[in-house]
Coordinates of all heavy atoms in Angstrom, one line a residue:
A119 N -6.1 23.9 0.4 CA -6.4 23.7 1.8 C -6.4 22.2 2.0 O -6.6 21.4 1.2 CB -7.8 24.3 2.0
I120 N -6.3 21.9 3.3 CA -6.2 20.5 3.8 C -7.7 20.1 4.2 O -8.3 20.8 4.9 CB -5.2 20.3 4.9 CG1 -3.8 20.8 4.5 CG2 -5.2 19.0 5.4 CD1 -3.3 20.2 3.3
C121 N -8.0 18.9 3.8 CA -9.3 18.3 4.2 C -9.3 18.3 5.8 O -8.4 17.6 6.4 CB -9.3 16.9 3.6 SG -10.7 15.9 4.1
P122 N -10.4 18.8 6.3 CA -10.5 18.7 7.8 C -10.6 17.3 8.4 O -10.0 17.2 9.5 CB -11.8 19.4 8.1 CG -12.2 20.2 6.8 CD -11.5 19.5 5.7
Q123 N -11.1 16.4 7.7 CA -11.1 15.0 8.2 C -9.6 14.4 8.3 O -9.3 13.8 9.2 CB -11.9 14.1 7.3 CG -13.3 14.3 7.3 CD -13.8 15.5 6.3 OE1 -13.0 16.1 5.7 NE2 -15.0 15.7 6.2
Y124 N -8.8 14.8 7.3 CA -7.4 14.4 7.4 C -6.7 15.0 8.5 O -5.9 14.4 9.3 CB -6.6 14.8 6.0 CG -5.2 14.5 6.1 CD1 -4.7 13.1 6.0 CD2 -4.3 15.4 6.4 CE1 -3.3 12.8 6.0 CE2 -2.9 15.1 6.5 CZ -2.5 13.9 6.4 OH -1.2 13.6 6.5
E125 N -6.9 16.3 8.7 CA -6.3 17.0 9.8 C -6.7 16.4 11.1 O -5.8 16.1 12.0 CB -6.7 18.5 9.8 CG -6.0 19.3 8.8 CD -4.6 19.6 9.2 OE1 -4.3 19.6 10.4 OE2 -3.8 19.6 8.2
K126 N -7.9 16.0 11.3 CA -8.4 15.3 12.5 C -7.8 14.0 12.7 O -7.3 13.7 13.8 CB -9.9 15.2 12.4 CG -10.5 14.6 13.8 CD -12.1 14.6 13.6 CE -12.6 14.2 15.0 NZ -13.4 13.0 15.0
F127 N -7.7 13.2 11.7 CA -7.1 11.9 11.7 C -5.5 12.0 12.1 O -5.1 11.3 13.0 CB -7.2 11.2 10.2 CG -6.5 9.9 10.3 CD1 -7.1 8.7 10.8 CD2 -5.2 9.8 9.7 CE1 -6.4 7.5 10.7 CE2 -4.6 8.6 9.6 CZ -5.1 7.5 10.2
F128 N -4.9 12.9 11.5 CA -3.5 13.1 11.8 C -3.2 13.5 13.2 O -2.4 12.9 13.9 CB -2.9 14.2 10.9 CG -1.5 14.2 10.8 CD1 -0.6 13.5 10.2 CD2 -0.8 15.3 11.6 CE1 0.8 13.5 10.2 CE2 0.6 15.3 11.7 CZ 1.4 14.5 11.0
R129 N -4.1 14.5 13.6 CA -3.9 15.0 15.1 C -4.3 13.8 16.0 O -3.6 13.7 17.1 CB -4.8 16.2 15.2 CG -4.6 16.9 16.5 CD -5.5 18.3 16.6 NE -6.9 18.1 16.3 CZ -7.5 18.4 15.1 NH1 -6.8 19.0 14.1 NH2 -8.8 18.2 14.9
E130 N -5.3 13.1 15.8 CA -5.7 12.1 16.7 C -5.1 10.7 16.7 O -4.9 10.0 17.7 CB -7.2 11.9 16.6 CG -8.0 13.2 17.0 CD -9.6 12.9 16.8 OE1 -9.9 11.9 16.2 OE2 -10.3 13.9 17.1
R131 N -4.7 10.3 15.5 CA -4.2 9.0 15.3 C -2.6 9.0 15.0 O -1.9 8.2 15.6 CB -4.8 8.3 14.2 CG -6.2 8.2 14.3 CD -6.6 7.1 15.3 NE -8.0 7.0 15.5 CZ -8.9 6.1 15.0 NH1 -8.4 5.3 14.1 NH2 -10.1 6.1 15.3
I132 N -2.1 9.9 14.2 CA -0.7 9.8 13.9 C 0.2 10.5 14.9 O 1.3 10.0 15.1 CB -0.6 10.4 12.4 CG1 -1.3 9.7 11.5 CG2 0.9 10.4 12.1 CD1 -1.2 8.3 11.2
M133 N -0.2 11.7 15.4 CA 0.7 12.4 16.2 C 1.0 11.6 17.5 O 2.1 11.5 18.0 CB 0.1 13.7 16.6 CG 0.0 14.7 15.5 SD 1.7 15.2 14.9 CE 2.2 16.2 16.3
P134 N 0.0 10.9 18.1 CA 0.3 10.1 19.4 C 1.3 8.9 19.0 O 2.1 8.7 19.8 CB -1.1 9.6 19.8 CG -2.1 10.5 19.2 CD -1.4 11.0 17.9
L135 N 1.2 8.4 17.9 CA 2.2 7.3 17.5 C 3.6 7.9 17.4 O 4.5 7.3 17.8 CB 1.8 6.6 16.2 CG 0.5 5.7 16.2 CD1 0.0 5.3 14.9 CD2 0.7 4.5 17.1
M136 N 3.7 9.1 16.7 CA 5.0 9.8 16.6 C 5.6 9.9 17.9 O 6.7 9.7 18.1 CB 4.7 11.1 15.9 CG 5.4 11.4 14.7 SD 4.9 13.0 14.1 CE 5.8 14.1 15.0
E137 N 4.7 10.5 18.9 CA 5.3 10.8 20.2 C 5.7 9.5 21.0 O 6.6 9.4 21.6 CB 4.3 11.6 21.0 CG 4.1 13.0 20.4 CD 2.9 13.7 20.8 OE1 2.2 13.2 21.8 OE2 2.6 14.8 20.3
Q138 N 4.8 8.4 20.8 CA 4.9 7.2 21.6 C 6.3 6.5 21.1 O 7.0 6.0 21.9 CB 3.8 6.3 21.5 CG 3.9 5.0 22.1 CD 2.7 4.1 22.0 OE1 1.7 4.5 21.4 NE2 2.8 2.9 22.4
Y139 N 6.5 6.4 19.8 CA 7.7 5.7 19.3 C 8.8 6.5 18.8 O 9.8 6.0 18.3 CB 7.1 4.8 18.1 CG 6.1 3.8 18.5 CD1 4.8 3.8 18.2 CD2 6.6 2.6 19.2 CE1 3.8 2.9 18.7 CE2 5.6 1.7 19.6 CZ 4.3 1.8 19.4 OH 3.4 0.9 19.8
H140 N 8.7 7.8 19.1 CA 9.8 8.7 18.9 C 10.4 8.7 17.5 O 11.6 8.5 17.2 CB 10.9 8.5 19.8 CG 10.5 8.5 21.3 ND1 10.1 9.7 21.9 CD2 10.3 7.5 22.1 CE1 9.8 9.4 23.1 NE2 9.8 8.1 23.3
Y141 N 9.5 8.7 16.5 CA 10.0 8.7 15.0 C 9.4 10.0 14.4 O 8.3 10.5 14.7 CB 9.6 7.5 14.3 CG 8.1 7.1 14.1 CD1 7.5 7.8 13.1 CD2 7.5 6.3 15.0 CE1 6.1 7.5 12.9 CE2 6.2 6.1 14.9 CZ 5.4 6.7 13.9 OH 4.1 6.3 13.7
P142 N 10.2 10.4 13.4 CA 9.8 11.7 12.8 C 8.7 11.4 11.6 O 8.7 10.4 11.0 CB 11.0 12.3 12.1 CG 11.8 11.1 11.8 CD 11.5 10.2 12.9
I143 N 7.7 12.3 11.4 CA 6.9 12.3 10.3 C 7.1 13.6 9.5 O 7.1 14.6 10.1 CB 5.4 12.2 10.8 CG1 5.3 10.9 11.4 CG2 4.5 12.4 9.6 CD1 3.8 10.3 11.4
L144 N 7.4 13.4 8.2 CA 7.6 14.6 7.4 C 6.2 15.0 6.9 O 5.7 14.3 5.9 CB 8.6 14.3 6.3 CG 10.0 13.7 6.8 CD1 10.7 13.4 5.6 CD2 10.6 14.6 7.8
N145 N 5.6 16.0 7.4 CA 4.3 16.4 6.9 C 4.4 17.7 6.1 O 4.7 18.7 6.7 CB 3.4 16.6 8.2 CG 2.0 17.0 7.8 OD1 1.6 17.0 6.7 ND2 1.2 17.2 8.8
Y146 N 4.2 17.5 4.8 CA 4.3 18.7 3.9 C 3.1 19.1 3.5 O 2.9 19.8 2.4 CB 5.3 18.3 2.8 CG 6.7 18.1 3.2 CD1 7.2 16.8 3.1 CD2 7.5 19.2 3.6 CE1 8.6 16.7 3.6 CE2 8.9 18.9 4.0 CZ 9.3 17.7 4.0 OH 10.6 17.5 4.4
H147 N 1.9 18.7 4.0 CA 0.6 19.0 3.5 C 0.3 20.5 3.5 O -0.4 21.0 2.7 CB -0.5 18.3 4.4 CG -0.7 16.9 3.9 ND1 0.0 15.9 4.4 CD2 -1.5 16.4 2.9 CE1 -0.4 14.7 3.8 NE2 -1.3 15.0 2.9
K148 N 0.9 21.2 4.5 CA 0.7 22.6 4.5 C 1.8 23.4 3.9 O 1.8 24.6 4.0 CB 0.4 23.0 5.9 CG -0.9 22.5 6.5 CD -1.1 23.1 8.0 CE -2.4 22.7 8.5 NZ -2.7 23.1 9.8
S149 N 2.7 22.8 3.2 CA 3.9 23.4 2.8 C 3.5 24.3 1.6 O 2.7 23.9 0.6 CB 4.8 22.3 2.3 OG 6.0 22.9 1.6
A150 N 4.1 25.4 1.5 CA 3.8 26.4 0.4 C 4.8 25.9 -0.8 O 4.6 26.6 -1.9 CB 4.2 27.8 0.9
F151 N 5.6 25.0 -0.5 CA 6.5 24.4 -1.6 C 5.7 23.8 -2.8 O 6.1 23.7 -3.9 CB 7.4 23.4 -0.9 CG 8.5 23.0 -1.8 CD1 9.6 23.9 -2.2 CD2 8.6 21.7 -2.3 CE1 10.6 23.5 -3.0 CE2 9.6 21.3 -3.2 CZ 10.6 22.2 -3.5
F152 N 4.5 23.2 -2.4 CA 3.6 22.5 -3.4 C 2.5 23.4 -3.8 O 1.8 24.0 -3.1 CB 3.1 21.2 -2.8 CG 4.1 20.3 -2.5 CD1 4.7 20.0 -1.2 CD2 4.8 19.5 -3.5 CE1 5.6 19.1 -0.9 CE2 5.8 18.5 -3.2 CZ 6.1 18.3 -1.9
M153 N 2.3 23.3 -5.1 CA 1.2 24.3 -5.7 C 0.2 23.2 -6.3 O 0.4 22.0 -6.3 CB 1.8 25.0 -6.9 CG 2.9 25.8 -6.6 SD 2.4 27.1 -5.4 CE 3.9 27.6 -4.7
D154 N -1.0 23.7 -6.5 CA -2.1 22.9 -7.0 C -1.7 22.2 -8.3 O -2.1 21.0 -8.5 CB -3.3 23.8 -7.5 CG -4.0 24.4 -6.3 OD1 -3.8 23.9 -5.2 OD2 -4.8 25.3 -6.4
E155 N -0.9 22.7 -9.1 CA -0.4 21.9 -10.3 C 0.6 20.8 -10.0 O 0.9 20.0 -10.9 CB 0.3 22.9 -11.3 CG 1.5 23.6 -10.9 CD 1.1 25.0 -10.3 OE1 0.0 25.3 -10.0 OE2 2.1 25.8 -10.1
D156 N 1.0 20.7 -8.8 CA 1.8 19.5 -8.4 C 0.9 18.2 -8.0 O 1.5 17.2 -7.7 CB 2.7 19.9 -7.1 CG 3.7 20.9 -7.4 OD1 4.3 20.8 -8.6 OD2 4.0 21.7 -6.6
Y157 N -0.3 18.4 -8.0 CA -1.3 17.3 -7.6 C -2.1 16.7 -8.8 O -2.4 17.4 -9.6 CB -2.3 17.8 -6.5 CG -1.6 18.0 -5.2 CD1 -1.0 19.3 -4.9 CD2 -1.4 17.1 -4.3 CE1 -0.4 19.6 -3.7 CE2 -0.8 17.3 -3.1 CZ -0.3 18.6 -2.7 OH 0.3 18.8 -1.6
V158 N -2.3 15.4 -8.7 CA -3.2 14.7 -9.7 C -4.7 15.0 -9.1 O -5.5 15.2 -9.9 CB -2.9 13.2 -9.7 CG1 -4.0 12.6 -10.5 CG2 -1.6 13.0 -10.3
D159 N -4.8 14.8 -7.9 CA -6.1 14.9 -7.2 C -5.9 15.7 -5.9 O -4.8 16.2 -5.6 CB -6.9 13.7 -7.2 CG -6.3 12.7 -6.3 OD1 -5.4 12.9 -5.5 OD2 -6.6 11.4 -6.6
Y160 N -6.8 15.6 -5.0 CA -6.8 16.4 -3.7 C -5.6 16.0 -2.9 O -5.0 16.9 -2.2 CB -8.0 16.0 -2.9 CG -8.3 17.0 -1.7 CD1 -8.6 18.4 -1.9 CD2 -8.1 16.4 -0.4 CE1 -8.8 19.1 -0.7 CE2 -8.1 17.3 0.7 CZ -8.6 18.6 0.5 OH -8.7 19.4 1.5
D161 N -5.1 14.8 -2.9 CA -4.0 14.4 -1.9 C -2.9 13.5 -2.7 O -2.2 12.8 -2.0 CB -4.4 14.0 -0.6 CG -5.3 12.7 -0.7 OD1 -5.4 12.1 -1.8 OD2 -5.9 12.4 0.3
H162 N -2.9 13.4 -3.9 CA -1.9 12.5 -4.6 C -1.0 13.5 -5.5 O -1.6 14.2 -6.4 CB -2.6 11.4 -5.4 CG -3.2 10.5 -4.5 ND1 -4.6 10.5 -4.2 CD2 -2.7 9.4 -3.9 CE1 -4.9 9.6 -3.5 NE2 -3.9 8.8 -3.2
L163 N 0.2 13.3 -5.4 CA 1.2 14.1 -6.2 C 1.2 13.5 -7.6 O 1.2 12.3 -7.8 CB 2.5 14.2 -5.5 CG 2.6 14.9 -4.3 CD1 4.0 14.7 -3.6 CD2 2.5 16.3 -4.4
N164 N 1.5 14.5 -8.6 CA 1.8 14.0 -9.9 C 3.3 13.8 -10.0 O 4.0 13.9 -9.1 CB 1.2 14.9 -11.0 CG 1.8 16.4 -10.9 OD1 2.9 16.6 -10.3 ND2 1.1 17.5 -11.3
E165 N 3.8 13.6 -11.2 CA 5.2 13.4 -11.3 C 6.1 14.6 -10.9 O 7.1 14.4 -10.2 CB 5.6 13.0 -12.9 CG 7.0 12.6 -13.0 CD 7.4 12.2 -14.5 OE1 6.4 11.9 -15.2 OE2 8.6 12.1 -14.7
K166 N 5.6 15.7 -11.3 CA 6.4 16.9 -10.9 C 6.4 17.1 -9.3 O 7.4 17.4 -8.7 CB 5.8 18.2 -11.5 CG 6.4 19.5 -11.2 CD 5.7 20.6 -11.8 CE 6.3 21.9 -11.4 NZ 5.5 23.1 -11.7
G167 N 5.2 16.9 -8.7 CA 5.1 16.9 -7.3 C 5.9 15.9 -6.6 O 6.6 16.1 -5.5
A168 N 6.0 14.7 -7.1 CA 6.7 13.5 -6.6 C 8.3 13.9 -6.6 O 8.9 13.6 -5.7 CB 6.4 12.2 -7.4
Q169 N 8.7 14.6 -7.8 CA 10.1 14.9 -7.8 C 10.4 15.9 -6.8 O 11.5 15.8 -6.1 CB 10.4 15.5 -9.2 CG 10.4 14.4 -10.3 CD 10.5 14.9 -11.6 OE1 10.5 16.1 -11.9 NE2 10.7 14.0 -12.6
K170 N 9.5 16.8 -6.5 CA 9.8 17.9 -5.4 C 9.8 17.2 -4.1 O 10.7 17.5 -3.3 CB 8.6 18.9 -5.4 CG 8.6 19.9 -6.5 CD 7.4 20.9 -6.4 CE 7.6 22.2 -7.0 NZ 6.5 23.0 -6.8
L171 N 8.9 16.3 -3.8 CA 8.8 15.6 -2.6 C 10.1 14.7 -2.3 O 10.7 14.7 -1.3 CB 7.6 14.7 -2.4 CG 7.5 13.9 -1.1 CD1 7.4 14.8 0.1 CD2 6.3 13.0 -1.1
S172 N 10.6 14.1 -3.4 CA 11.7 13.2 -3.4 C 13.0 14.1 -2.9 O 13.8 13.6 -2.1 CB 12.0 12.5 -4.7 OG 11.1 11.6 -4.9
K173 N 13.0 15.3 -3.5 CA 14.1 16.2 -3.2 C 14.0 16.6 -1.6 O 15.1 16.6 -1.0 CB 14.1 17.4 -4.1 CG 15.1 18.6 -3.7 CD 16.4 18.3 -4.2 CE 17.3 19.6 -4.1 NZ 18.2 19.5 -3.0
L174 N 12.9 16.9 -1.2 CA 12.7 17.3 0.2 C 13.1 16.1 1.1 O 13.9 16.4 2.1 CB 11.3 17.7 0.5 CG 10.8 19.0 -0.1 CD1 9.3 19.2 0.2 CD2 11.6 20.2 0.6
V175 N 12.6 14.9 0.9 CA 13.0 13.8 1.6 C 14.5 13.6 1.7 O 15.2 13.1 2.7 CB 12.3 12.6 1.3 CG1 12.6 11.3 2.0 CG2 10.8 12.8 1.5
S176 N 15.1 13.6 0.5 CA 16.6 13.4 0.3 C 17.3 14.4 1.1 O 18.2 14.0 1.8 CB 16.9 13.5 -1.2 OG 18.3 13.4 -1.4
D177 N 17.0 15.6 1.0 CA 17.6 16.7 1.8 C 17.4 16.4 3.3 O 18.4 16.6 4.1 CB 17.1 18.1 1.4 CG 17.4 18.5 0.1 OD1 18.3 17.9 -0.5 OD2 16.7 19.5 -0.4
Y178 N 16.3 16.0 3.7 CA 16.1 15.7 5.2 C 17.0 14.6 5.6 O 17.6 14.7 6.6 CB 14.6 15.4 5.4 CG 14.4 14.9 6.7 CD1 14.3 15.7 7.8 CD2 14.3 13.4 7.1 CE1 14.0 15.3 9.1 CE2 14.0 13.1 8.4 CZ 14.0 14.0 9.4 OH 13.8 13.5 10.6
L179 N 17.0 13.5 4.8 CA 17.9 12.3 5.2 C 19.3 12.7 5.2 O 20.1 12.2 6.0 CB 17.5 11.1 4.3 CG 16.2 10.5 4.4 CD1 15.9 9.6 3.3 CD2 15.9 10.0 5.8
T180 N 19.8 13.4 4.2 CA 21.2 13.9 4.2 C 21.5 14.7 5.4 O 22.5 14.5 6.1 CB 21.4 14.7 2.9 OG1 21.2 13.9 1.8 CG2 22.9 15.2 2.9
Q181 N 20.6 15.6 5.8 CA 20.8 16.4 7.1 C 20.8 15.5 8.3 O 21.7 15.7 9.2 CB 19.7 17.5 7.2 CG 19.9 18.3 8.4 CD 18.6 19.3 8.5 OE1 17.8 19.3 7.8 NE2 18.7 20.1 9.5
E182 N 19.9 14.6 8.4 CA 19.8 13.8 9.6 C 21.1 12.9 9.6 O 21.6 12.6 10.7 CB 18.6 12.9 9.5 CG 17.3 13.5 9.9 CD 17.4 14.1 11.3 OE1 17.5 13.2 12.2 OE2 17.1 15.3 11.5
K183 N 21.6 12.4 8.5 CA 22.8 11.5 8.5 C 24.0 12.3 9.1 O 24.9 11.8 9.6 CB 23.1 11.0 7.1 CG 24.1 10.0 7.0 CD 24.2 9.6 5.6 CE 25.4 8.5 5.5 NZ 25.5 8.1 4.2
S184 N 24.1 13.6 8.8 CA 25.2 14.4 9.2 C 25.2 14.9 10.6 O 26.2 15.3 11.1 CB 25.3 15.6 8.3 OG 24.3 16.5 8.5
L185 N 24.0 14.6 11.3 CA 24.0 15.1 12.7 C 24.6 14.1 13.6 O 24.8 13.0 13.5 CB 22.5 15.2 13.1 CG 21.7 16.3 12.4 CD1 20.2 16.3 12.9 CD2 22.4 17.7 12.7

């Protein structure tokens, strides 16, 4: 589960910046792709989780480049 304070911060502070400056934010906090064992603590990925995230970001950038 996501920390309610983080959700509030993201919704109130990050989303408006995204919309104002027209840049994407890759938010995988609610992704079923990551399991508890991918984390060192509540919101920091371990090496396995970082590898998964790197693959997701790489795939996203490859897709964006081809558009």
